[in-house]
């Protein structure tokens, strides 16, 4: 997770000066796998893939976490598990009990969806 944040910070600070995201210096353990039409894909040493699409027309940042699991992976007796995962992501934890309040205080807007082959936070 720390590498993802370093990568996003490094690419955000360069901002509009980036002619192509490939010119940005990426942290150790991160490698750029491809870049097509302004969308760059990076992979961390743990297998996590990060897609970055800079859009300088808006003063906001959008983050989507996509799990490649959805209802098609559920068997009899497991229906709704992917949707449950989506809801659990917003429940919080012992150390972070009310994520909605914390995120809202910082201008974040939460949303999620579950489909046939993916769950998005």
């Amino acid at each position: 997770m720390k590498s993802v944040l370093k990568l996003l910070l490094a690419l955000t600070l360069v901002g509009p000066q980036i002619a192509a995201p490939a010119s940005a210096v990426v942290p150790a353990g991160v490698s750029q796998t491809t870049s097509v039409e302004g969308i760059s894909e990076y992979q961390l040493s743990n297998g996590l893939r990060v897609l970055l699409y800079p859009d300088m027309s808006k003063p906001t940042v959008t983050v989507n976490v996509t799990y490649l699991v959805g209802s098609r992976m559920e068997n009899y007796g497991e229906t709704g598990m992917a949707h449950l995962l989506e809801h659990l992501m917003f429940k919080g934890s012992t150390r972070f009990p009310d994520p909605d309040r914390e995120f809202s205080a910082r201008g974040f807007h939460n949303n999620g969806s579950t489909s046939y082959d993916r769950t998005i936070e």
Side-chain angles (χ1 to χ4, degrees):
M1 185 64 170
K2 200 174 196 181
S3 294
V4 173
L5 296 175
K6 285 181 182 177
L7 172 65
L8 293 175
L9 180 60
L11 294 171
T12 303
L13 292 176
V14 177
Q17 296 86 358
I18 297 178
S23 65
V25 176
V26 296
V30 177
S31 59
Q32 182 173 0
T33 56
T34 189
S35 185
V36 177
E37 296 184 14
I39 301 172
S40 298
E41 180 178 356
Y42 299 86
Q43 184 155 0
L44 278 63
S45 57
N46 66 2
L48 178 68
R49 294 182 327 183
V50 176
L51 297 178
L52 180 67
Y53 176 69
D55 181 357
M56 300 306 164
S57 69
K58 296 181 175 34
T60 60
V61 173
T62 301
V63 176
N64 286 323
V65 177
T66 302
Y67 303 91
L68 299 178
V69 61
S71 61
R72 81 177 172 100
M73 285 81 169
E74 299 170 344
N75 293 315
Y76 180 76
E78 299 174 337
T79 55
M81 293 303 285
H83 191 72
L84 176 62
L85 168 66
E86 173 195 336
H87 283 269
L88 289 175
M89 293 304 296
F90 296 111
K91 283 300 265 183
S93 66
T94 329
R95 294 183 62 199
F96 197 60
D98 194 354
D100 273 342
R101 186 184 77 230
E102 296 294 329
F103 288 148
S104 295
R106 291 162 176 81
F108 288 57
H109 302 282
N110 290 333
N111 201 358
S113 65
T114 305
S115 67
Y116 182 67
D117 62 354
R118 61 196 66 218
T119 301
I120 301 170
E121 303 299 328

